[in-house]
Amino acid sequence: MNWIGTIRATGAVLAGAVLLSAAATAQDPDYIAGEIHGMTIFALHPEAERIGNVRTTDAETALQIIGAAIDLAYQESPFARKRIEALKKKGEIQFIYDARHPKNVMSEVNIASFVPQFYDPAQGERVFLVLIGRTGIQWNNEELAAAVSHELAGHAYQRMQGRLMGMRELDAECEAYLVHEQTNQDIGTDKTTDEAIGLRQATDTHWCDDFRRWTLAEDLDVADEWDVLNPDVPALLKAFKAYIADQG
């Protein structure tokens, strides 16, 4: 059963107010579930020990890994927590671990994905859903915590505000990566590793390249933030609003 099928099969649970505990679903043949900080995690049992080049993670371990990452982001990042609490007032926040994600068996870079179609108040859909697959579950706690924030405090927050579907991919990702950066600062991620340096370079020179160039062209004080190790993210996000408005 693929993850969409699982969502449909358990729709009454996913769309309702009942939160499951791991103990209550221990005998379910497809998944186990748990709750942390008012957010629900569904961990599907992998159907194979390996998919492509990646060994899968059992559901019980995945549940603990995702819970720990959520806890780190929620407890240590006031910025992320504030946005997550705003999301919780508008709908349910749910995570699904599915070892089949992503469908491309050669993909080893996808950490987590926000699925926007499950939040559509006009259609009665009020679930902010994040999917974590076979590679993302193997990232370390800090990396996964920042990815959780990226998807929730970044993309889910954009969706809640009705902005996500109309944004260019580069702009949507730029904003989410700025959120990602703030979370890394809050949780004390080591910025000197090759991975951290690569992430910052991708943020500045790819995802946020248009925005960065705009701040330079407009000669804004905030343009100096691109040159520091720990940029003032709230200031950049404030400028980002003006940048989006300037795009028409």
Side-chain angles (χ1 to χ4, degrees):
M1 180 184 294
N2 63 31
W3 67 272
I4 293 179
T6 300
I7 291 171
R8 290 173 178 167
T10 61
V13 173
L14 291 171
V18 177
L19 298 180
L20 304 179
S21 67
T25 61
Q27 302 304 314
D28 190 281
D30 294 321
Y31 66 89
I32 60 173
E35 179 190 353
I36 185 168
H37 301 306
M39 294 170 267
T40 309
I41 308 166
F42 296 86
L44 277 63
H45 297 292
E47 297 179 0
E49 292 186 357
R50 183 179 294 274
I51 297 177
N53 295 325
V54 181
R55 181 175 293 277
T56 61
T57 302
D58 65 88
E60 292 80 5
T61 300
L63 194 72
Q64 296 303 316
I65 290 173
I66 296 171
I70 293 171
D71 188 57
L72 180 59
Y74 188 88
Q75 297 278 29
E76 300 299 328
S77 177
F79 180 92
R81 181 169 62 249
K82 182 178 180 180
R83 287 195 168 196
I84 289 170
E85 287 300 314
L87 293 173
K88 287 162 65 175
K89 292 178 181 178
K90 296 295 184 178
E92 296 183 45
I93 297 175
Q94 297 172 352
F95 291 79
I96 291 180
Y97 161 66
D98 184 357
R100 290 189 178 188
H101 177 71
K103 291 181 179 179
N104 179 359
V105 297
M106 299 306 294
S107 177
E108 297 181 4
V109 296
N110 186 288
I111 306 177
S113 302
F114 171 63
V115 187
Q117 60 263 38
F118 290 95
Y119 184 78
D120 187 355
Q123 300 298 321
E125 302 288 344
R126 295 183 178 274
V127 175
F128 298 104
L129 182 65
V130 176
L131 181 64
I132 297 175
R134 60 188 173 277
T135 56
I137 202 67
Q138 296 184 29
W139 286 62
N140 69 44
N141 194 36
E142 289 182 351
E143 292 168 331
L144 192 54
V148 164
S149 184
H150 180 117
E151 302 303 330
L152 282 184
H155 293 313
Y157 196 78
Q158 291 166 342
R159 179 63 167 164
M160 180 191 73
Q161 293 185 323
R163 299 186 291 115
L164 178 60
M165 307 311 282
M167 297 179 76
R168 293 191 310 160
E169 181 185 7
L170 278 174
D171 292 335
E173 290 297 340
C174 172
E175 185 178 11
Y177 272 109
L178 290 175
V179 171
H180 199 125
E181 163 64 26
Q182 181 63 57
T183 305
N184 277 334
Q185 291 182 28
D186 291 341
I187 66 179
T189 299
D190 182 359
K191 297 289 192 71
T192 66
T193 66
D194 290 343
E195 292 79 7
I197 293 171
L199 177 65
R200 178 62 186 273
Q201 290 176 338
T203 299
D204 291 6
T205 63
H206 179 62
W207 299 114
C208 285
D209 190 49
D210 285 357
F211 173 48
R212 180 179 61 85
R213 291 175 182 273
W214 179 85
T215 64
L216 292 167
E218 295 292 318
D219 196 25
L220 301 180
D221 290 343
V222 77
D224 294 338
E225 298 300 326
W226 303 109
D227 299 323
V228 300
L229 182 64
N230 293 306
D232 185 341
V233 172
L236 284 169
L237 289 173
K238 182 178 180 180
F240 185 81
K241 290 182 180 180
Y243 158 75
I244 292 296
D246 195 48
Q247 306 310 301

